Amino acid sequence: MGAGAKHRLVFVDRLLATLVHLRHAATHDVLACWFGVDRSTITRAIAEVRPLLAERGCTVSPGVRLRTLAEVVDHLGANGKTGIIDGTEIRVRRPAAGRKDRDRFISGKTKQNAVKTMVFTDGDGRVLFCSPTRPGSCADITHARQSGLVTLLADGPAVEILADAGYQGLGAQTGGRVITPPHRKFKKNAPDWYEEIHERQRKAHSSRRIRVEHGIAHLKNWRALARHLGRREHISDTVQAVAGLLSHQQTADLTSARPM
């Protein structure tokens, strides 16, 4: 005989409640009224289903999912595709007064309390991977190094990874696999011909990298990632669950759009 309270919601209802919570940021109280159960039942259902969704990984083709950064690098190398990385921030509640790590969540960019995740897409903007979150004060390049990306690229297959200026320095550490915008050789009084060439190169790089911004925008369409009002220890599961659901939809749309 098993111990513990029995579920008042079947699995399909628990899954539906979790999806509505992630997509529309519906509160547990609202969902409890909708399903006719107690608020604690909804809280327990979401806590059980959300990690399961996060563990599914990102779908790249029917039956093929990427769950780790190593699998993403191998996938890009095996298919000869270009990857794009960028960091994005998600606003969170301010930690309680007196906590030692309170200032770690203040973003240097937005000056707000946030967590940061590294988004990995392919050249078409399809989400391939979202890393576990780090406090908002963590720099993009530090996040990439702590995620093991440098080692995977240096020792792995020859792939091309596009990144913005926040990742400058990774190219030298990965044998040129990470490509960032061109450096400015003249900080003052640059010749007109140099300004023209630099601007053309910068725009060419930006036009190739813009797809990751589209992928991030699709992620932020899920209200749970527009601003996270729950506990910060759940945000990594939330990010990876949404990434998996979005990638599944993107792959399904791409498959249905292909000619028979």
Side-chain angles (χ1 to χ4, degrees):
M1 298 294 292
K6 301 299 182 181
H7 284 293
R8 294 194 60 187
L9 292 175
V10 296
F11 180 77
V12 172
D13 288 340
R14 281 180 275 158
L15 176 61
L16 179 59
T18 305
L19 293 177
V20 173
H21 172 69
L22 294 176
R23 188 67 177 87
H24 301 287
T27 64
H28 295 190
D29 290 326
V30 170
L31 293 173
C33 293
W34 184 15
F35 285 95
V37 296
D38 190 75
R39 182 183 185 279
S40 61
T41 302
I42 296 296
T43 301
R44 183 162 66 115
I46 293 175
E48 291 176 353
V49 175
R50 181 173 48 207
L52 298 179
L53 294 175
E55 292 172 1
R56 293 174 70 245
C58 292
T59 304
V60 294
S61 62
V64 179
R65 294 172 179 163
L66 306 178
R67 295 178 175 85
T68 64
L69 197 55
E71 292 178 352
V72 173
V73 173
D74 290 340
H75 167 73
L76 294 174
N79 293 276
K81 294 184 177 181
T82 297
I84 315 175
I85 58 172
D86 197 9
T88 186
E89 295 180 350
I90 303 167
R91 290 184 62 187
V92 295
R93 290 178 174 175
R94 189 178 187 185
R99 288 194 55 172
K100 294 181 180 179
D101 60 349
R102 194 183 194 197
D103 293 340
R104 293 178 61 220
F105 290 91
I106 299 179
S107 167
K109 181 186 299 184
T110 63
K111 310 303 181 184
Q112 295 175 334
N113 290 273
V115 295
K116 181 175 294 184
T117 182
M118 184 176 66
V119 181
F120 218 120
T121 70
D122 61 12
D124 297 324
R126 286 197 304 162
V127 176
L128 302 179
F129 179 76
C130 283
S131 70
T133 58
R134 299 284 298 168
S137 61
C138 181
D140 288 346
I141 190 171
T142 302
H143 194 176
R145 288 168 177 161
Q146 292 177 348
S147 299
L149 180 62
V150 174
T151 302
L152 291 173
L153 293 177
D155 300 336
V159 297
E160 181 184 59
I161 307 296
L162 303 179
D164 63 9
Y167 296 92
Q168 283 182 344
L170 290 187
Q173 298 176 354
T174 59
R177 288 174 171 82
V178 176
I179 302 174
T180 56
H183 289 275
R184 289 187 62 88
K185 295 182 180 180
F186 297 91
K187 293 186 178 180
K188 293 183 179 180
N189 302 322
D192 292 340
W193 62 267
Y194 177 80
E195 289 287 358
E196 181 181 350
I197 293 175
H198 182 271
E199 186 67 12
R200 184 165 62 246
Q201 291 176 341
R202 187 191 65 80
K203 287 184 177 180
H205 179 83
S206 179
S207 64
R208 296 185 64 198
R209 201 191 64 83
I210 194 64
R211 295 293 186 179
V212 71
E213 303 291 350
H214 298 164
I216 291 174
H218 288 308
L219 285 170
K220 294 295 183 71
N221 282 337
W222 291 67
R223 292 291 300 278
L225 299 187
R227 183 176 182 181
H228 185 71
L229 298 177
R231 300 176 65 91
R232 288 186 303 279
E233 51 264 36
H234 298 153
I235 186 62
S236 288
D237 281 347
T238 299
V239 170
Q240 293 176 329
V242 171
L245 293 166
L246 174 61
S247 67
H248 181 83
Q249 183 61 51
Q250 289 176 327
T251 300
D253 292 343
L254 183 62
T255 302
S256 61
R258 289 174 180 170
M260 298 298 292

